[in-house]
Amino acid sequence: EDQVTQSPEALRLQEGESSSLNCSYTVSGLRGLFWYRQDPGKGPEFLFTLYSAGEEKEKERLKATLTKKESFLHITAPKPEDSATYLCAVHRGGADGLTFGKGTHLIIQP
Amino acid sequence: DAGVIQSPRHEVTEMGQEVTLRCKPISGHDYLFWYRQTMMRGLELLIYFNNNVPIDDSGMPEDRFSAKMPNASFSTLKIQPSEPRDSAVYFCASKGQGDRIQYFGAGTRLSVL
């Protein structure tokens, strides 16, 4: 059974204080690892897809990395508008649905 | 494109009543997914369709839940009878053939009293 574990559950940072969110996964035949951002009262919004170990992708203050067992979402010099819940999900071979972790609730204080 | 459209945004009902949630996928997308989000279990896949045909319904919690996709632009998720433990946010998502990114709607927040 596919498993996705995210840590920490919640993280409070000061504006400009860099940090990383972790996503550990167990999946048979990984076809892709996804990061989504979810704001209160809204649906998840796609950020990144990573396909193989060693791959990295960047978007503004966010950078996602992937190893064979985990993914990190690094946030550099965050701003209050980066406050949201960040969700990690895996897509395995032979299926089309995603298996999600429970998310990391990130708060950036000005 | 308007994105994935779900209705209603909020639904409050009493235990035992029938509830119908609606979804319009992005035009041209071949896949449609229904997910449920709770604090305890996070976001879970309930069922998905490809070209209007249900492919995997193993996530549907029990026979009280049913989903249909009568055409490429409309899907429903029905709960009959509803129970308080069904209270959650229900999301619909869609993706195109050969595309791995799923695009989510804004969700329906269901409260069963």
Side-chain angles (χ1 to χ4, degrees):
Chain A
E1 184 180 323
D2 303 340
Q3 287 193 333
V4 180
T5 304
Q6 292 188 245
S7 61
E9 290 184 9
L11 182 62
R12 187 183 297 266
L13 301 172
Q14 292 294 125
E15 184 174 1
E17 181 184 0
S18 301
S19 188
S20 297
L21 314 182
N22 178 262
C23 171
S24 297
Y25 64 91
T26 303
V27 62
S28 175
L30 180 71
R31 291 181 64 191
L33 184 139
F34 296 75
W35 283 98
Y36 281 82
R37 168 188 172 133
Q38 186 174 22
D39 291 299
K42 296 187 177 181
E45 178 185 347
F46 172 76
L47 292 174
F48 303 108
T49 309
L50 302 167
Y51 296 105
S52 58
E55 188 175 0
E56 298 183 353
K57 288 192 177 174
E58 287 188 67
K59 179 180 180 181
E60 296 182 354
R61 295 175 293 281
L62 299 176
K63 183 170 79 171
T65 62
L66 181 66
T67 72
K68 289 186 178 179
K69 294 182 178 181
E70 57 191 352
S71 177
F72 291 93
L73 185 65
H74 307 279
I75 182 162
T76 302
K79 299 181 178 182
E81 53 262 42
D82 295 321
S83 298
T85 295
Y86 290 86
L87 299 168
C88 172
V90 296
H91 178 205
R92 65 173 169 84
D96 288 290
L98 297 177
T99 300
F100 281 85
K102 292 185 178 180
T104 293
H105 181 50
L106 178 65
I107 298 173
I108 308 299
Q109 294 179 311
Chain B
D1 198 316
V4 176
I5 300 173
Q6 293 187 244
S7 65
R9 289 297 316 278
H10 302 276
E11 178 78 41
V12 181
T13 191
E14 293 188 349
M15 183 173 62
Q17 296 299 306
E18 177 179 296
V19 176
T20 300
L21 311 181
R22 297 172 176 79
C23 175
K24 176 179 169 56
I26 293 172
S27 177
H29 280 189
D30 302 286
Y31 286 83
L32 184 139
F33 304 83
W34 283 100
Y35 290 87
R36 178 171 68 175
Q37 188 174 41
T38 61
M39 290 291 292
M40 289 295 294
R41 300 177 67 86
L43 199 60
E44 300 176 292
L45 177 67
L46 299 177
I47 185 172
Y48 76 92
F49 296 82
N50 181 22
N51 291 322
N52 312 336
V53 176
I55 303 300
D56 183 359
D57 66 353
S58 59
M60 296 285 262
E62 48 197 277
D63 292 344
R64 298 184 297 107
F65 286 69
S66 63
K68 294 182 180 179
M69 192 164 185
N71 57 62
S73 58
F74 183 66
S75 177
T76 60
L77 178 67
K78 185 177 293 186
I79 309 173
Q80 166 64 19
S82 58
E83 296 184 3
R85 61 193 167 118
D86 301 331
S87 298
V89 182
Y90 291 81
F91 287 101
C92 176
S94 71
K95 78 178 183 79
Q97 190 77 27
D99 189 0
R100 294 185 182 180
I101 301 171
Q102 294 183 22
Y103 298 89
F104 284 77
T108 295
R109 181 173 295 277
L110 173 65
S111 297
V112 183
L113 306 177

